[in-house]
Amino acid sequence: MFGHRGSARAAGLAVGYLADLCFTDPQRGHPVALFGRAAAALERRTYADDRSAGAVHTTALLAALGALGLLVERAAARRGPLWTTVATAAATYVVLGGTSLARTGGELANLLDAQDIDGARALLPSLCGRDPAALDADGLARAALESVAENTSDAQVAPILWGALAGVPGLLVYRGANTLDAMIGHKSPRYQQFGWAAARFDDLLNYPGARATGAIVVAVSGAPSGAWRAWRRDAAEHPSPNAGVAEASFAGALGVRLGGPTQYAHRLEMRPALGDGPAPVAADLRRGGRLSRLVQAGATALAVSVAFRTGRPASARC
């Protein structure tokens, strides 16, 4: 099982995925939260209202994560394949968030079913950065489902694929870039310039993962033609080159319409329509959570296969 680097990495990805399924995110002392606090502390020294300062800030933090990942992976490799599996599993568990995502979506659906609009509004910030105060039940369902779709790619598919391709450094750098995008990559007055580099680098890292997400949705949803049609027709109209793929494919697979006016704390965006059919309700959000879990499992199977094949010794390919 642990005979070469590829199998050790593949086993680590699988174990990390299973750990996320069983334990979800740590409630205290989560390493991603610790990174966020370190990034905020550094920002107090590096902030300036221009792109170059933001690029220096982003590069310094991600280079540190990459160096840490390399140190961990090399130390594990020196001790043997089993330690590579352990290190990869630990990093995978730390960076994945798919189980918490699906569970939170289900909890919000339950609140909507119970007509607890205030409770649903209080929970929505756990999924996305929209202003919940202006949203009714339909708006909350739509916002939550769009977040579940987008973050299936961001929190699960993209990181585990980067883990397959680049091991522990790939996992850590991806999660760091995604965290920085959430912190400074939005278009508020403070971060319009400073967060530009973080937002663009996150777009770059998420580009393959978003398309893998769309492809897996087509493969596992049971509605391949609807998912494919919405992806090809609607995704390019979305302001994000990556979120549009995930949201459109989910919308087509579920037979609902996403998009429309989207209120953030600092701006209102008019999003294009994604998919056909009615606006989503709580039952559709619950179906979206089930689809997210299927996509997560499919992405893990793909990542394990990629890691195993790319890490085999050259002689094994003969």
Side-chain angles (χ1 to χ4, degrees):
M1 180 179 180
F2 305 108
H4 57 75
R5 184 184 66 178
S7 59
R9 180 180 289 176
L13 294 171
V15 171
Y17 165 72
L18 293 174
D20 182 62
L21 276 180
C22 293
F23 305 115
T24 70
D25 293 332
Q27 296 302 305
R28 294 184 179 181
H30 197 299
V32 174
L34 296 177
F35 172 77
R37 288 199 286 272
L42 180 64
E43 183 185 328
R44 290 193 285 270
R45 296 178 176 271
T46 59
Y47 178 81
D49 189 21
D50 64 67
R51 291 183 177 182
S52 60
V56 169
H57 176 80
T58 299
T59 300
L61 287 165
L62 297 185
L65 283 180
L68 174 62
L70 281 172
L71 286 174
V72 169
E73 191 159 79
R74 288 175 178 174
R78 285 195 294 270
R79 300 189 68 175
L82 177 60
W83 286 96
T84 295
T85 295
V86 171
T88 304
T92 301
Y93 171 60
V94 164
V95 307
L96 295 186
T99 299
S100 293
L101 171 70
R103 287 188 180 180
T104 303
E107 291 169 7
L108 200 145
N110 291 339
L111 291 169
L112 292 176
D113 279 340
Q115 299 184 342
D116 185 356
I117 302 302
D118 289 338
R121 286 172 175 159
L123 185 59
L124 185 66
S126 300
L127 287 171
C128 62
R130 300 183 195 180
D131 181 5
L135 297 177
D136 59 10
D138 289 346
L140 289 163
R142 189 202 113 197
L145 181 53
E146 289 174 352
S147 180
V148 166
E150 178 182 0
N151 285 296
T152 296
S153 177
D154 291 359
Q156 191 84 16
V157 178
I160 205 164
L161 290 180
W162 279 112
L165 293 170
V168 175
L171 288 161
L172 297 188
V173 169
Y174 174 82
R175 179 50 64 205
N178 195 246
T179 302
L180 285 176
D181 180 57
M183 293 178 68
I184 66 174
H186 44 85
K187 296 180 180 179
S188 67
R190 176 176 173 86
Y191 294 123
Q192 182 80 33
Q193 300 301 319
F194 185 75
W196 181 87
R200 297 291 78 75
F201 190 63
D202 182 70
D203 284 344
L204 178 66
L205 290 185
N206 274 303
Y207 193 89
R211 277 120 196 107
T213 299
I216 297 169
V217 170
V218 170
V220 305
S221 66
S225 60
W228 174 254
R229 182 172 60 252
W231 174 6
R232 302 308 300 169
R233 185 190 64 200
D234 301 333
E237 300 302 317
H238 195 283
S240 167
N242 301 319
V245 174
E247 292 179 21
S249 60
F250 264 68
L254 297 171
V256 298
R257 185 183 68 257
L258 301 177
T262 302
Q263 180 67 57
Y264 291 95
H266 302 284
R267 69 193 189 282
L268 173 67
E269 290 188 5
M270 299 303 296
R271 296 282 179 85
L274 306 173
D276 303 306
V281 296
D284 300 311
L285 175 56
R286 197 170 284 108
R287 290 194 299 131
R290 291 194 292 269
L291 177 56
S292 175
R293 290 181 183 275
L294 284 174
V295 173
Q296 293 172 37
T300 302
L302 175 62
V304 167
S305 176
V306 168
F308 186 82
R309 292 174 181 276
T310 58
R312 286 187 299 176
S315 59
R317 299 191 182 100
C318 299

